[in-house]
Amino acid sequence: MKKVIAGLLSVAMIAAMAGCNKATPTTTAAGTTASGESKPAETTAPAETTTAETTVKATYGEGPVHINLWSFTNEVPNMAQKYIQLNPEFGKKYTVDVTIIATTNQAYQPALDAALKNGEVDMYAAEAAFVLKYTKGDGAQFAAAYKDLGIDVDKAVKDAEIAQYTVDIGTRTSDSALVALGYQATGGAMIYRASIAKEVFGSDDPATVEKEVGGGSGKYDTFWKAAAKLKEKGYPIVSGDGDVWHMVENSSSSGWVVDGKLNIAPERQAFFDISKQLVDNGWCNETSDWQPSWFADMKGLPQEGKDNKSAFCFFGPAWLINYSMKDNCGGKEAPADGNYAGNTFGDWRVCKAPAGFFWGGTWVLASKSAAENADKKAGVAELINWITLDASDKGLQYLWANGLFAPNADGTPGTKDCVASGKVMATANGEVAFLGGQNMFPAFIAANANATGKNMTQYDENINALFREQVNQYAHGQKSIDDAIKDFRSRVADKIGEDGSL
Amino acid sequence: MAKTATLHKESIGLKVVIYIVCVILAILSLLPFFIMFTNATRSTAEIQSSAISLYSAHPIQNLMRNWKVFNGKSFDPSTGFVNSLIVSTCTTILAVYFSCLTSYALFAYEWKLRDAFFGLIVGIMMIPGTVTMIGFYQAAYQVHMTNKLAMLIIPAIASPNMVFFMRQYLQASLSLEIVDSGRIDGAGEFMIFNRIVFPLMKPAIATQCIFTFVGSWNNLFLPQILLTKKEKYTLPIEVALLNSDIYQTEYGSIYLGLSLTVIPLLIIYILLSRYIVEGVALGGVKS
Amino acid sequence: MKSKKLVDYGKYGYLFSIPFILAFLVFSLYPILFTFYIGFSDFAGMTATVKDSKILWSEPFKNFATVFRANLFRKSFGNTCIIWIMNFIPQMGLALLLTAWFTDRRSKVKGQGIFKILFYMPNIITAATVAVLFTQIFAYPSGPINTTLIKLGLSEKGVNFMLTPGRVRGVVAFIQFWQWYGYTMVMLISGVIGINPEIFEAADLDGANRVQTFFLITLPCIRTIMLYVLVTSLIGGLNMFDIPALYAMDRGDAGGYTVNMYIKDVAFTGKQRYNLAAAASIIMFVIIVLLSLVLFYIMRDKDEAKLKKLKKQQLKAAKAKKAY
């Protein structure tokens, strides 16, 4: 009996693996068809490549000069691949060797650090959560200034109208040199349910709703009034306190560390009471980000086993719509009967959030060793320029914003996203059906202008987690605010740095 | 008469309790596998709205889509599978053979440093793994030995845990008389170990094979740091990579990857499970 | 007679241990020595290199003092011990109970083969999968457990399993228990099978009942394997990392934060103080060694120890004779 089961399983496994080998040549087609419903980065190759191009490789191009590219997802490597497809002569000069290490288990940074020390990296990607370490913190010494690659950054940044906060984050403190830039702009807006707005505020028009919630005011009192109004009809204004946190975190007047000491900005201090208010007044559903109950609120359904109503709004950048909300709204097109419970596609609109903020993003850096290598320098510069600064209709950002990086199989634009270049954004068309045909770009561009990257530190990711846990303890009545702050300070000192000497 | 009746009743009562407990535990053991396999046939949105469910609206269609996503990433699952198989198989073979040899040295011979050596082995077992790993990977970077599968395999020759276990097993079940009779037949010491002792340790070897193979197959942290080139990835690294997409996680294909990862383990486990059922004699008293 | 032969073959003991020792020297000893060096040095920060670091001669135990002073280290040590005890006692209890049931020679449990196979299965799933599954099962405000509690009217709003330290520890301990009781059972059954059946027959003749047989015969007879299970569980328990790191993290006021998480955090995040991480792991090493010695002492075979002593004395006497 056991042998039989084992035998069956073996056969299944071998069949799967055989299928996998066979499936490889068709990957191109598969990836492209899937791109309409998945994110562009997943598409391994665009439609025009032939089947010969499809063997899975760790390298792109076939030139004599090797460029070592490190990343934590395949997003940036796919851009390099795309560039070589569009510019075959680049592929004849250079070979891009790709190394991808997932950020789970925090494996990417230790490996990258060791490789940087050994001079084995030419180009590397960093996420918002840890980019500061490589632009201003302990790892900044490994980064090459864009200027040293031969790029006229001052002019290029101005010409492309790159969002200021991405420049702030990418500027090294020690010599004020620009060492990193992103391609996405991740300024966040308020993404709300039109049908609920109509019911409670009498109109779903973004301008009206923006006024009701105090959009762009930098204060929360109007927002709380709106929350109370929504509660009268049974709607919590947000899903969980995490939704408000991203706005609070990235709109505060100072960062976690000031002059080497742990600092709690007044805006962040206020989050204690924001969170408690949300919980005590029932203004949220007490969900946590990325958990099923959070996604349930995107679908417009009550929480499983409960009779509450779903949340009014979310706060986030365009990628939140593209990669999370669209897939979790419960449908692919607006419900014909206009009943949005279970399918909220088309029921969402964007307007300015009470405070300007940004959330996430990827920055691209070149290493000093690459800048010092005459062979590699030009190639690295060319790639980085195309990804981060080229605002023409040949540049990556134009393709990215207009959904042309990975178009649908039928040639219609794929996922549209906000990009760092204001010049590209000005001409790009951000009308999407998910938002009932609203052009989403104006709201997000306004957010980019408000967002500030000046108050980040390289320890933010860890300190945020410690802070939010203490806020959670306070909001749920587990400890007093003084104890929570005391414990927070002590944890930060123990985990991040020696007492008081951050 | 009455006494046997109550005894009988008692034992029926006990049996009922035993079966109820066992069935509950069995369900708890199987549930995650069912969830994992079912979720491999569900869409990401379905999984996100309720992760624990045995229902899928379009199983075949979703399975195909999940497979496409898993296979459409820039790495090749079959390469990962082959690498995992190489690492786990070699690790298991080396660990088992050399642990048996070392434990035999500890058991069958009396030598001056024997007790000290045994103490050392037990001592090594106690060193927190995390930090040995930190030193190990920094050393690997210094000597440029990253991206070599051998770096994950060869250290298995020194597996203190297994040596400890094998020594306990030999103490319980091997009589030195067998060794002596081998010597009388004129066999060399190494031959005696290979031809007589090693085969006798089969039940213990089988259980240790399961433990080692599972541990090596599921190992993520060290491979993730040491193997940075796509063509060297193991299966768990590829699954972690699917999981690392910070903006959007394809749960359907992650569960598919996890299911594919667990199937070889199930095969090995079922093939060797005879020894788990029959048990490995490992007690304090020799017969 | 026998002992003389053993002495003759002694060199093979060395010979057969060579591969182990070589692999150990190359792949384990260097990292371990490196760890000890770091623990006494100022090796810290992302760009730290051995060349630039130095041992803190003036204050050799500075790193250790810093670790002991850290509230988080003390807290994580407490957490680790509590979680280990919370999972180990029921795990051992259930494993012993199942062992007693499955090895009872008077009434065989039908289908026990299948049960044994199934009970070990939680151990073959990766920690990452287990953590994801349990995060979903215990999710708040709506997850399978909470939905059930609300439907049964046992709770009005559901239970936030991530809120208090006790709840987080409870879930982590439960996961550990669920993953490892099957393994422990397999080990213990191995021990019972190795017992000479004659002993049980003698007990039957003396009229011992089931419970008496188990506690007075079976348990004492599986002492060596109990020692193995206890020591490995102690080591594994105090080095607990995967499940707490993937499931608990900082949640529940860091109620599920273990020492190994502290070690990894201190080494890889913030100021990357490798020296403190190394010091903390040396401290853990010492604690584990001490506790294991206690276990070895409690579980030692008193008769064997006596026998060994006697043998040594005889050997000495014989040697003395020879020399004379």
Side-chain angles (χ1 to χ4, degrees), chain B residues 91-273:
Chain B
T91 301
T92 309
I93 292 171
L94 286 186
V96 166
Y97 183 77
F98 286 103
S99 296
C100 287
L101 190 67
T102 315
S103 65
Y104 181 68
L106 281 169
F107 166 72
Y109 305 107
E110 210 153 272
W111 36 297
K112 224 187 200 161
L113 294 175
R114 182 171 81 163
D115 290 342
F117 183 50
F118 182 63
L120 176 79
I121 286 177
V122 178
I124 306 167
M125 274 167 59
M126 295 167 191
I127 297 170
T130 331
V131 163
T132 325
M133 228 140 51
I134 293 171
F136 181 74
Y137 113 86
Q138 289 204 333
Y141 265 95
Q142 274 167 23
V143 296
H144 299 279
M145 277 297 282
T146 53
N147 282 315
K148 300 230 170 18
L149 295 183
M151 278 304 272
L152 294 172
I153 296 168
I154 300 170
I157 292 173
S159 310
N161 256 312
M162 206 192 290
V163 175
F164 187 40
F165 177 88
M166 291 296 182
R167 178 184 169 269
Q168 306 293 90
Y169 176 75
L170 283 176
Q171 275 194 333
S173 58
L174 186 74
S175 151
L176 278 178
E177 280 148 34
I178 302 174
V179 179
D180 280 338
S181 66
R183 283 174 188 153
I184 290 164
D185 292 344
E189 291 299 306
F190 192 53
M191 183 87 95
I192 291 177
F193 170 75
N194 282 331
R195 291 279 163 81
I196 303 175
V197 179
F198 194 66
L200 277 176
M201 297 174 80
K202 214 164 104 184
I205 290 171
T207 45
Q208 288 298 311
C209 271
I210 296 177
F211 301 154
T212 315
F213 196 89
V214 168
S216 170
W217 186 269
N218 284 340
N219 193 8
L220 173 66
F221 183 73
L222 198 56
Q224 204 172 35
I225 284 182
L226 285 182
L227 308 174
T228 55
K229 293 259 179 281
K230 274 181 198 174
E231 61 271 22
K232 298 289 181 190
Y233 283 169
T234 58
L235 217 43
I237 299 182
E238 298 184 336
V239 176
L241 215 51
L242 282 173
N243 203 0
S244 76
D245 220 323
I246 20 186
Y247 301 131
Q248 178 200 35
T249 311
E250 286 283 354
Y251 285 105
S253 57
I254 289 173
Y255 278 104
L256 179 65
L258 291 171
S259 305
L260 288 177
T261 311
V262 89
I263 286 176
L265 289 182
L266 281 178
I267 295 171
I268 304 254
Y269 181 59
I270 290 169
L271 284 177
L272 293 176
S273 64

Side-chain angles (χ1 to χ4, degrees), chain A residues 1-3 5-7 9-13 16-17 19-21 23-24 27 30-31 33-34 37-39 41-44 56-60 68 70 72-75 77-78 97-107 109-115 117-118 120 127-128 184 186 290-293 295-296 299 304 319 322-324 327-328 359-362, chain B residues 37 43-52 65 67-82 137-138 140-144 146-147 217 220-222 224-231 233 235 237-251 253 259-275 277-278:
Chain A
M1 180 59 191
K2 261 177 281 152
K3 287 254 164 74
I5 300 174
L9 283 173
S10 316
V11 170
M13 195 69 210
M17 282 306 139
C20 153
N21 278 331
T24 317
T27 312
T33 3
E37 47 202 276
S38 60
K39 76 185 284 194
E42 267 148 24
T43 321
T44 45
V56 178
K57 283 188 297 187
T59 59
Y60 303 124
N68 293 306
W70 282 54
F72 51 93
T73 61
N74 51 11
E75 206 164 75
N78 283 347
D97 293 319
V98 174
T99 298
I100 303 176
I101 303 177
T103 48
T104 37
N105 286 352
Q106 295 169 331
Q109 294 179 57
L112 176 64
D113 296 351
K117 255 191 258 180
N118 283 354
E120 291 165 359
E127 209 266 339
Q184 255 174 335
T186 56
W290 312 109
Q291 293 302 316
S293 43
F295 293 118
K299 211 180 231 177
E304 212 180 328
W319 61 256
N322 290 333
Y323 306 147
S324 293
D327 282 342
N328 288 290
W359 180 12
T362 303
Chain B
F37 291 138
S43 70
T44 298
E46 270 181 306
I47 295 167
Q48 280 179 340
S49 63
S50 68
I52 313 292
R65 202 190 103 68
W67 173 251
K68 270 180 199 162
V69 172
F70 186 55
N71 209 22
K73 291 272 176 174
S74 51
F75 50 77
D76 182 357
S78 60
T79 315
F81 179 79
V82 171
Y137 113 86
Q138 289 204 333
Y141 265 95
Q142 274 167 23
V143 296
H144 299 279
T146 53
N147 282 315
W217 186 269
L220 173 66
F221 183 73
L222 198 56
Q224 204 172 35
I225 284 182
L226 285 182
L227 308 174
T228 55
K229 293 259 179 281
K230 274 181 198 174
E231 61 271 22
Y233 283 169
L235 217 43
I237 299 182
E238 298 184 336
V239 176
L241 215 51
L242 282 173
N243 203 0
S244 76
D245 220 323
I246 20 186
Y247 301 131
Q248 178 200 35
T249 311
E250 286 283 354
Y251 285 105
S253 57
S259 305
L260 288 177
T261 311
V262 89
I263 286 176
L265 289 182
L266 281 178
I267 295 171
I268 304 254
Y269 181 59
I270 290 169
L271 284 177
L272 293 176
S273 64
R274 182 158 70 92
Y275 295 95
V277 175
E278 287 169 3

Side-chain angles (χ1 to χ4, degrees), chain C residues 169-212:
Chain C
R169 284 199 280 261
V171 175
V172 172
F174 175 75
I175 300 174
Q176 296 280 354
F177 156 80
W178 170 77
Q179 277 207 288
W180 288 98
Y181 78 90
Y183 170 85
T184 310
M185 178 198 74
V186 170
M187 286 292 150
L188 292 180
I189 289 179
S190 305
V192 176
I193 293 171
I195 301 172
N196 188 338
E198 283 164 27
I199 299 177
F200 287 115
E201 278 154 31
D204 285 354
L205 281 178
D206 289 345
N209 66 21
R210 262 191 201 131
V211 179
Q212 283 171 330

Side-chain angles (χ1 to χ4, degrees), chain C residues 223 227 294-305:
Chain C
R223 195 182 44 236
L227 179 64
V294 171
L295 279 180
F296 271 99
Y297 184 75
I298 295 172
M299 308 282 289
R300 77 191 181 284
D301 191 331
K302 280 162 198 139
D303 302 332
E304 199 179 289

Side-chain angles (χ1 to χ4, degrees), chain C residues 268-299:
Chain C
F268 283 132
T269 64
K271 298 194 114 184
Q272 306 203 346
R273 293 161 299 165
Y274 292 108
N275 51 355
L276 294 193
S281 51
I282 294 169
I283 293 170
M284 285 311 280
F285 174 58
V286 172
I287 290 172
I288 292 173
V289 168
L290 290 179
L291 289 177
S292 304
L293 285 180
V294 171
L295 279 180
F296 271 99
Y297 184 75
I298 295 172
M299 308 282 289

